[in-house]
Every structure is written in C-alpha cells, then in structure tokens.
Amino acid sequence: MTAWLATNLVAAALLPPLLLVILLTAGLIVRRRLPRLATSLILLATTALYVLSTPWVGGLLLKSLEISTPVRSADLQAADAIVVLAGGSYRDAAEYGGDTPNSISLERLRYAVRLHRASGLPLLVTGGKPDDGALAEGRLLQQVLLNEYGIAPRWVEDAARTTWDNARLSAPLLKQDSVHHIALVSHAWHLRRAAPLFEAQGLAVIPAGIRFSSIRVDSLLDLLPTPVGLRDSSFALHEWLGILWYKLRSFVA
C-alpha cells in the first residue's frame, strides 16, 4: 500500500490539476522577489488550465493514445478468452451496502459481456485492492457478472495493484488452460499501456477498446473549459506518464 500510495502521490504532483496549483502557488510566493518569473508561472498555470479543460483538447490527448479501432466479430475468432481490466471501485457505497465497481470498471465489464455473448469466449476479470478496499476489484466484477448478468467468469485474478500486475498475474491463469490469444477489454486510451504488458507475458492481444474519442469541434462549447475536459486531459496525461514510467522500469530491470 505504501509504494502504491507514494507512486500515486508523485504522479498527482506531476499532473493537472495539482501541478497547475503548484505552479500557481509558486508564482504567488515569488511575486515580490522575482516578479517576471512569478508572472510567467501564473500565466503558464492559467493558460494550461484553460487549454486542458476544453473538451477538444481533452479528446485530442485521449485520441493520441488509441491504438486500434472498435473490435469486429471476425477479430474475436482468433481469441481464446476475453480479459477485463478493473478500473477502480466505489468504496463503502451506502446504496449497495459496501464496495462496488466504479463507473470505469462497469463500462468495461458491460462491453466484455457483450463480446462474451457474441462469441461465447470465457471471461477473466482482474483487479486487486490497490486502495485496500474490503473486496478485490476482480471479486467485485465477479459479483456483478453473477448477480446482474448471470455469467460466471472462468478466471478471477484478485491480487493486482497495477496494470503491470494485471498482466503478470493473469498470464499464468490463462496459460495453465492453454489460452494464448486474448481480447483485452479496457478503455481505448488505456490499451496503449496495457496491451504491450500482456504481450510481454507471451500472450497475443486483440485490443477491444471502449469510449473512443472524437477530435471534431461540433460547437463553440468544445472550446470552452469544462470539468469533463480537464478530466479527459488528466486521464490522457496520466497514461502517457504511466507509459514513460513502465519504459524506464523495463530499461532499469
């Protein structure tokens, strides 16, 4: 837990919105001694906040991460199984009487069910307890599959704390049942980081992404700052930072 928390604290400091708050605070602190630097920092933070908060820029950054188009039925013929990556949980949900998968996890799971019903391929769900919830995310997805879809996953991986762990811990479960080709379900912006990690474990990966981004400017509102725009930009920059971190980690290893 300590390593996971430390990693995420460092990541938060390198990404918006906390990075912009740090720049703005630094500018305010040095404004009397170094007025030119202070002005530059404040302008940089303000401009970056505006730009990164626009839906168009958020969509552009997410689009830069996409490595495939939506999967086709014909593509699934080469797969032996469908792997679903958990994306977080909603802890102590009062309306559910405990932990439940968050919206990111549920979006992925819903699409995986669609692919499962279309292909008949078995499901693997993967996710541990990175934030020390009551139940592992993999187990939460298993519950939803059983209780809401009437589907039992063939494999449940419940120890992974990171995407790296998802791949490292899921591969042995699949290989022991002679599964070597998988359809990997996650958000389209996450697969650039996730797919190579599973391939590094000796699995052939068919990216099965969801929520593909648009870079069209449909109205003036796409160029105005919104919370959703900032969220999308933060997701994208987090992914690029994660990709860089994994490359550095692999190089050092």
Side-chain angles (χ1 to χ4, degrees):
M1 176 63 179
T2 302
W4 177 85
L5 179 60
T7 299
N8 280 272
L9 285 174
V10 171
L14 295 174
L15 295 169
L18 183 55
L19 175 60
L20 304 182
V21 173
I22 292 173
L23 291 175
L24 181 60
T25 302
L28 293 173
I29 290 174
V30 303
R31 69 185 187 280
R32 292 184 177 177
R33 290 182 299 162
L34 303 167
R36 290 186 178 179
L37 176 60
T39 300
S40 297
L41 290 173
I42 292 170
L43 284 175
L44 175 62
T46 304
T47 302
L49 177 61
Y50 185 97
V51 171
L52 294 174
S53 296
T54 62
W56 181 70
V57 170
L60 193 65
L61 290 172
L62 289 177
K63 179 63 77 174
S64 71
L65 287 158
E66 294 177 8
I67 60 172
S68 67
T69 56
V71 71
R72 302 170 301 170
S73 297
D75 298 329
L76 296 179
Q77 295 177 5
D80 304 316
I82 298 168
V83 175
V84 192
L85 304 181
S89 63
Y90 173 23
R91 293 184 59 182
D92 300 323
E95 67 274 30
Y96 287 100
D99 294 357
T100 190
N102 66 8
S103 59
I104 290 177
S105 293
L106 290 175
E107 285 178 341
R108 296 173 182 177
L109 190 66
R110 182 189 180 201
Y111 187 58
V113 168
R114 176 183 175 89
L115 297 182
H116 165 75
R117 288 175 172 167
S119 66
L121 293 171
L123 291 167
L124 180 147
V125 292
T126 169
K129 296 190 287 185
D131 57 353
D132 288 344
L135 278 178
E137 293 174 15
R139 294 298 171 183
L140 293 174
L141 293 183
Q142 180 187 32
Q143 287 182 353
V144 173
L145 280 172
L146 288 170
N147 298 336
E148 301 181 25
Y149 292 101
I151 298 171
R154 181 172 299 180
W155 309 274
V156 179
E157 187 289 306
D158 60 3
R161 289 178 174 268
T162 65
T163 306
W164 188 300
D165 288 342
N166 289 138
R168 180 177 60 85
L169 299 175
S170 296
L173 298 177
L174 296 165
K175 290 179 179 178
Q176 72 183 7
D177 285 339
S178 300
V179 172
H180 299 283
H181 294 75
I182 63 169
L184 185 61
V185 176
S186 189
H187 282 72
W189 43 259
H190 184 228
L191 287 171
R192 180 179 289 271
R193 179 159 59 107
L197 296 177
F198 280 82
E199 290 170 342
Q201 296 297 322
L203 297 170
V205 175
I206 300 168
I210 62 170
R211 296 290 297 271
F212 290 85
S213 299
S214 171
I215 57 175
R216 296 193 314 268
V217 178
D218 295 321
S219 74
L220 179 62
L221 296 177
D222 291 330
L223 301 177
L224 297 178
T226 66
V228 172
L230 182 59
R231 180 204 64 187
D232 289 348
S233 293
S234 296
F235 277 156
L237 294 174
H238 178 271
E239 285 304 306
W240 281 117
L241 182 63
I243 290 168
L244 176 61
W245 165 243
Y246 282 158
K247 286 185 180 297
L248 289 174
R249 183 174 174 176
S250 297
F251 177 77
V252 172

